[in-house]
Amino acid sequence: MRTRTERLDAPQLLAVAEELADLLTDTVHDGASIGFLAPLDRTAAVAWWRERVDGVGAGRLAVWAARDGDRVVGTVSLAFADKPNSRHRAELVKLMVHRDARGRGLGRELLTVAENAAVAAGITLLHLDTETDSAAEHLYDSAGWTRAGVIPDYAASPGGVLRPTTLYYKRVGAGVHTPTR
């Protein structure tokens, strides 16, 4: 697969909201626990992406889309903290790869894009959560993320079953250091 990944500004996000909605519904219908229950209505998925436009425009959210030709096959986002004491950190959110594009390194590529962009933005700490025992855990473990712990019954799976969630973090950029005692 030959993909190109680009960061979307607010007008671009609005323009591709329907394509991103298709990716979102595919991901949820395939069983990924990313905040939605199945079946996810496409209209609701489009509305969800359109609601992100203001955050992108205000700089609170960064969204990337990966394309294979003209088709959106993956996305990742960074949600930047808005509190004065937490501007050094960001949350990695909504890393998704279309099921037809999985197994070819696109998830790792998107993760790297987000990590590099975080460093360029002066972020020194990233965090995320993912369903415990999901395929995503292997990606984060192999990419050097650190498990911070597991919260039982944190979120419902797309099928509505409460599942545990694993919290991860990763130090990036100039802030990477080993604490002294």
Side-chain angles (χ1 to χ4, degrees):
M1 173 188 308
R2 189 143 172 99
T3 59
R4 71 181 193 286
T5 301
E6 64 179 337
R7 183 170 175 173
L8 305 175
D9 62 20
Q12 290 169 321
L13 177 57
L14 191 56
V16 299
E18 292 197 22
E19 292 179 73
L20 287 166
D22 291 338
L23 174 62
L24 177 58
T25 56
D26 174 76
T27 304
V28 171
H29 293 161
D30 193 44
S33 179
I34 54 173
F36 300 89
L37 298 175
L40 177 58
D41 177 72
R42 186 174 187 279
T43 303
V46 171
W48 186 86
W49 278 108
R50 288 181 176 155
E51 290 167 3
R52 313 276 79 75
V53 171
D54 287 346
V56 169
R60 294 185 309 269
L61 182 69
V63 178
W64 289 265
R67 291 185 172 278
D68 183 8
D70 290 334
R71 182 173 165 235
V72 172
V73 293
T75 188
V76 67
S77 299
L78 286 175
F80 298 100
D82 61 353
K83 296 178 188 82
N85 72 340
S86 51
R87 298 231 167 94
H88 66 287
R89 70 176 188 242
E91 182 178 8
L92 187 108
V93 293
K94 302 297 183 264
L95 174 58
M96 294 179 262
V97 175
H98 194 281
R99 65 182 115 180
D100 294 342
R102 292 186 192 149
R104 301 179 213 159
L106 183 56
R108 174 67 59 112
E109 180 183 318
L110 288 165
L111 186 57
T112 300
V113 164
E115 289 175 2
N116 289 341
V119 170
I123 299 299
T124 58
L125 181 68
L126 292 171
H127 63 97
L128 64 85
D129 65 81
T130 192
E131 183 178 343
T132 303
D133 297 327
S134 67
E137 276 195 312
H138 173 72
L139 172 63
Y140 302 127
D141 287 336
S142 68
W145 286 69
T146 301
R147 289 175 187 243
V150 174
I151 302 172
D153 298 338
Y154 185 77
S157 69
V161 176
L162 290 178
R163 298 277 303 131
T165 293
T166 303
L167 305 176
Y168 283 88
Y169 70 90
K170 186 172 187 179
R171 293 179 183 274
V172 295
V176 176
H177 67 282
T178 303
T180 57
R181 294 181 188 210

